[in-house]
PDB file of all heavy atoms in Angstrom:
ATOM      1  N   ALA A 276       6.620  10.302 -11.899  1.00  0.00           N
ATOM      2  CA  ALA A 276       6.281  11.661 -11.471  1.00  0.00           C
ATOM      3  C   ALA A 276       4.807  11.925 -11.726  1.00  0.00           C
ATOM      4  O   ALA A 276       4.410  12.222 -12.852  1.00  0.00           O
ATOM      5  CB  ALA A 276       7.152  12.666 -12.230  1.00  0.00           C
ATOM      6  N   ALA A 278       3.094  14.024  -9.516  1.00  0.00           N
ATOM      7  CA  ALA A 278       2.744  15.256  -8.807  1.00  0.00           C
ATOM      8  C   ALA A 278       2.355  16.365  -9.774  1.00  0.00           C
ATOM      9  O   ALA A 278       2.908  16.469 -10.871  1.00  0.00           O
ATOM     10  CB  ALA A 278       3.921  15.718  -7.953  1.00  0.00           C
ATOM     11  N   VAL A 280       3.080  19.597  -9.999  1.00  0.00           N
ATOM     12  CA  VAL A 280       4.027  20.573  -9.458  1.00  0.00           C
ATOM     13  C   VAL A 280       3.661  21.960  -9.985  1.00  0.00           C
ATOM     14  O   VAL A 280       3.427  22.119 -11.184  1.00  0.00           O
ATOM     15  CB  VAL A 280       5.467  20.219  -9.909  1.00  0.00           C
ATOM     16  CG1 VAL A 280       6.479  21.147  -9.260  1.00  0.00           C
ATOM     17  CG2 VAL A 280       5.786  18.764  -9.584  1.00  0.00           C
ATOM     18  N   ASP A 282       4.013  25.323 -11.642  1.00  0.00           N
ATOM     19  CA  ASP A 282       5.006  25.761 -12.628  1.00  0.00           C
ATOM     20  C   ASP A 282       5.763  27.001 -12.152  1.00  0.00           C
ATOM     21  O   ASP A 282       6.917  27.192 -12.485  1.00  0.00           O
ATOM     22  CB  ASP A 282       4.305  26.064 -13.962  1.00  0.00           C
ATOM     23  CG  ASP A 282       3.869  24.776 -14.656  1.00  0.00           C
ATOM     24  OD1 ASP A 282       4.608  23.781 -14.541  1.00  0.00           O
ATOM     25  OD2 ASP A 282       2.796  24.755 -15.277  1.00  0.00           O
ATOM     26  N   THR A 310      11.890  24.709 -11.063  1.00  0.00           N
ATOM     27  CA  THR A 310      12.662  23.722 -11.815  1.00  0.00           C
ATOM     28  C   THR A 310      11.736  22.574 -12.207  1.00  0.00           C
ATOM     29  O   THR A 310      10.905  22.136 -11.395  1.00  0.00           O
ATOM     30  CB  THR A 310      13.805  23.171 -10.943  1.00  0.00           C
ATOM     31  OG1 THR A 310      14.573  24.268 -10.497  1.00  0.00           O
ATOM     32  CG2 THR A 310      14.682  22.186 -11.693  1.00  0.00           C
ATOM     33  N   ASP A 311      11.882  22.080 -13.406  1.00  0.00           N
ATOM     34  CA  ASP A 311      11.101  20.909 -13.824  1.00  0.00           C
ATOM     35  C   ASP A 311      11.770  19.667 -13.238  1.00  0.00           C
ATOM     36  O   ASP A 311      12.855  19.264 -13.676  1.00  0.00           O
ATOM     37  CB  ASP A 311      11.039  20.839 -15.358  1.00  0.00           C
ATOM     38  CG  ASP A 311      10.037  19.784 -15.807  1.00  0.00           C
ATOM     39  OD1 ASP A 311      10.030  18.670 -15.241  1.00  0.00           O
ATOM     40  OD2 ASP A 311       9.241  20.086 -16.720  1.00  0.00           O
ATOM     41  N   ILE A 312      11.134  19.091 -12.233  1.00  0.00           N
ATOM     42  CA  ILE A 312      11.752  17.978 -11.490  1.00  0.00           C
ATOM     43  C   ILE A 312      11.945  16.772 -12.408  1.00  0.00           C
ATOM     44  O   ILE A 312      13.020  16.164 -12.465  1.00  0.00           O
ATOM     45  CB  ILE A 312      10.866  17.601 -10.274  1.00  0.00           C
ATOM     46  CG1 ILE A 312      10.696  18.818  -9.360  1.00  0.00           C
ATOM     47  CG2 ILE A 312      11.477  16.423  -9.515  1.00  0.00           C
ATOM     48  CD1 ILE A 312       9.651  18.633  -8.264  1.00  0.00           C
ATOM     49  N   LEU A 313      10.887  16.428 -13.130  1.00  0.00           N
ATOM     50  CA  LEU A 313      10.951  15.256 -14.008  1.00  0.00           C
ATOM     51  C   LEU A 313      12.037  15.418 -15.071  1.00  0.00           C
ATOM     52  O   LEU A 313      12.864  14.520 -15.277  1.00  0.00           O
ATOM     53  CB  LEU A 313       9.582  15.020 -14.660  1.00  0.00           C
ATOM     54  CG  LEU A 313       9.502  13.901 -15.695  1.00  0.00           C
ATOM     55  CD1 LEU A 313       9.857  12.552 -15.072  1.00  0.00           C
ATOM     56  CD2 LEU A 313       8.125  13.853 -16.332  1.00  0.00           C
ATOM     57  N   GLY A 331       6.620  10.006 -16.847  1.00  0.00           N
ATOM     58  CA  GLY A 331       5.957  11.271 -16.559  1.00  0.00           C
ATOM     59  C   GLY A 331       4.453  11.151 -16.674  1.00  0.00           C
ATOM     60  O   GLY A 331       3.937  10.192 -17.265  1.00  0.00           O
ATOM     61  N   PHE A 332       3.750  12.101 -16.110  1.00  0.00           N
ATOM     62  CA  PHE A 332       2.304  12.194 -16.237  1.00  0.00           C
ATOM     63  C   PHE A 332       1.967  13.517 -16.905  1.00  0.00           C
ATOM     64  O   PHE A 332       2.705  14.492 -16.775  1.00  0.00           O
ATOM     65  CB  PHE A 332       1.638  12.131 -14.850  1.00  0.00           C
ATOM     66  CG  PHE A 332       1.122  10.761 -14.509  1.00  0.00           C
ATOM     67  CD1 PHE A 332       1.996   9.725 -14.269  1.00  0.00           C
ATOM     68  CD2 PHE A 332      -0.249  10.511 -14.439  1.00  0.00           C
ATOM     69  CE1 PHE A 332       1.534   8.454 -13.973  1.00  0.00           C
ATOM     70  CE2 PHE A 332      -0.726   9.244 -14.141  1.00  0.00           C
ATOM     71  CZ  PHE A 332       0.162   8.213 -13.902  1.00  0.00           C
ATOM     72  N   ALA A 334      -1.402  16.032 -17.221  1.00  0.00           N
ATOM     73  CA  ALA A 334      -2.816  16.344 -16.994  1.00  0.00           C
ATOM     74  C   ALA A 334      -3.198  17.363 -18.046  1.00  0.00           C
ATOM     75  O   ALA A 334      -2.720  18.502 -18.020  1.00  0.00           O
ATOM     76  CB  ALA A 334      -2.998  16.914 -15.596  1.00  0.00           C
ATOM     77  N   LYS A 346       4.745  16.217 -24.931  1.00  0.00           N
ATOM     78  CA  LYS A 346       5.296  16.347 -23.569  1.00  0.00           C
ATOM     79  C   LYS A 346       6.338  15.265 -23.298  1.00  0.00           C
ATOM     80  O   LYS A 346       7.343  15.513 -22.633  1.00  0.00           O
ATOM     81  CB  LYS A 346       4.160  16.296 -22.543  1.00  0.00           C
ATOM     82  CG  LYS A 346       4.565  16.844 -21.191  1.00  0.00           C
ATOM     83  CD  LYS A 346       3.369  17.143 -20.297  1.00  0.00           C
ATOM     84  CE  LYS A 346       2.678  18.430 -20.705  1.00  0.00           C
ATOM     85  NZ  LYS A 346       1.559  18.785 -19.842  1.00  0.00           N
ATOM     86  N   ARG A 349       9.446  16.508 -24.811  1.00  0.00           N
ATOM     87  CA  ARG A 349       9.956  17.690 -24.095  1.00  0.00           C
ATOM     88  C   ARG A 349      10.606  17.293 -22.771  1.00  0.00           C
ATOM     89  O   ARG A 349      11.624  17.837 -22.368  1.00  0.00           O
ATOM     90  CB  ARG A 349       8.812  18.659 -23.864  1.00  0.00           C
ATOM     91  CG  ARG A 349       9.267  20.088 -23.773  1.00  0.00           C
ATOM     92  CD  ARG A 349       8.151  21.102 -23.925  1.00  0.00           C
ATOM     93  NE  ARG A 349       7.144  21.012 -22.908  1.00  0.00           N
ATOM     94  CZ  ARG A 349       5.865  20.754 -23.136  1.00  0.00           C
ATOM     95  NH1 ARG A 349       5.451  20.508 -24.357  1.00  0.00           N
ATOM     96  NH2 ARG A 349       5.000  20.718 -22.142  1.00  0.00           N
ATOM     97  N   LYS A 350      10.000  16.316 -22.101  1.00  0.00           N
ATOM     98  CA  LYS A 350      10.517  15.907 -20.787  1.00  0.00           C
ATOM     99  C   LYS A 350      11.674  14.924 -20.929  1.00  0.00           C
ATOM    100  O   LYS A 350      12.384  14.671 -19.958  1.00  0.00           O
ATOM    101  CB  LYS A 350       9.405  15.255 -19.957  1.00  0.00           C
ATOM    102  CG  LYS A 350       8.181  16.119 -19.755  1.00  0.00           C
ATOM    103  CD  LYS A 350       8.293  16.970 -18.519  1.00  0.00           C
ATOM    104  CE  LYS A 350       7.060  17.875 -18.380  1.00  0.00           C
ATOM    105  NZ  LYS A 350       7.093  18.697 -17.193  1.00  0.00           N
TER     106      LYS A 350
HETATM  107  N1  LIG B 501       6.643  18.076 -13.494  1.00  0.00           N
HETATM  108  C1  LIG B 501       7.742  18.136 -12.649  1.00  0.00           C
HETATM  109  N2  LIG B 501       8.202  19.351 -12.242  1.00  0.00           N
HETATM  110  C2  LIG B 501       7.638  20.494 -12.657  1.00  0.00           C
HETATM  111  C3  LIG B 501       6.504  20.428 -13.517  1.00  0.00           C
HETATM  112  C4  LIG B 501       6.033  19.196 -13.918  1.00  0.00           C
HETATM  113  O1  LIG B 501       8.286  17.102 -12.261  1.00  0.00           O
HETATM  114  N3  LIG B 501       8.096  21.631 -12.230  1.00  0.00           N
HETATM  115  C5  LIG B 501       6.188  16.743 -13.956  1.00  0.00           C
HETATM  116  C6  LIG B 501       4.844  16.303 -13.440  1.00  0.00           C
HETATM  117  O2  LIG B 501       4.969  15.581 -12.237  1.00  0.00           O
HETATM  118  C7  LIG B 501       4.347  15.443 -14.586  1.00  0.00           C
HETATM  119  C8  LIG B 501       4.932  16.067 -15.800  1.00  0.00           C
HETATM  120  O3  LIG B 501       6.057  16.824 -15.340  1.00  0.00           O
HETATM  121  O4  LIG B 501       4.907  14.141 -14.521  1.00  0.00           O
HETATM  122  C9  LIG B 501       3.991  16.957 -16.593  1.00  0.00           C
HETATM  123  O5  LIG B 501       3.638  18.069 -15.875  1.00  0.00           O
HETATM  124  P1  LIG B 501       2.561  19.142 -16.443  1.00  0.00           P
HETATM  125  O6  LIG B 501       2.405  20.184 -15.398  1.00  0.00           O
HETATM  126  O7  LIG B 501       1.343  18.472 -16.910  1.00  0.00           O
HETATM  127  O8  LIG B 501       3.264  19.690 -17.714  1.00  0.00           O
HETATM  128  P2  LIG B 501       4.046  21.015 -17.910  1.00  0.00           P
HETATM  129  O9  LIG B 501       5.468  20.699 -18.041  1.00  0.00           O
HETATM  130  O10 LIG B 501       3.670  21.995 -16.864  1.00  0.00           O
HETATM  131  O11 LIG B 501       3.536  21.514 -19.303  1.00  0.00           O
HETATM  132  P3  LIG B 501       2.192  22.381 -19.668  1.00  0.00           P
HETATM  133  O12 LIG B 501       2.136  23.486 -18.676  1.00  0.00           O
HETATM  134  O13 LIG B 501       2.437  22.757 -21.044  1.00  0.00           O
HETATM  135  O14 LIG B 501       1.039  21.443 -19.556  1.00  0.00           O
END
Side-chain angles (χ1 to χ4, degrees):
V280 185
D282 287 325
T310 304
D311 190 316
I312 301 170
L313 175 61
F332 262 69
K346 198 165 283 182
R349 208 164 62 241
K350 303 270 178 179

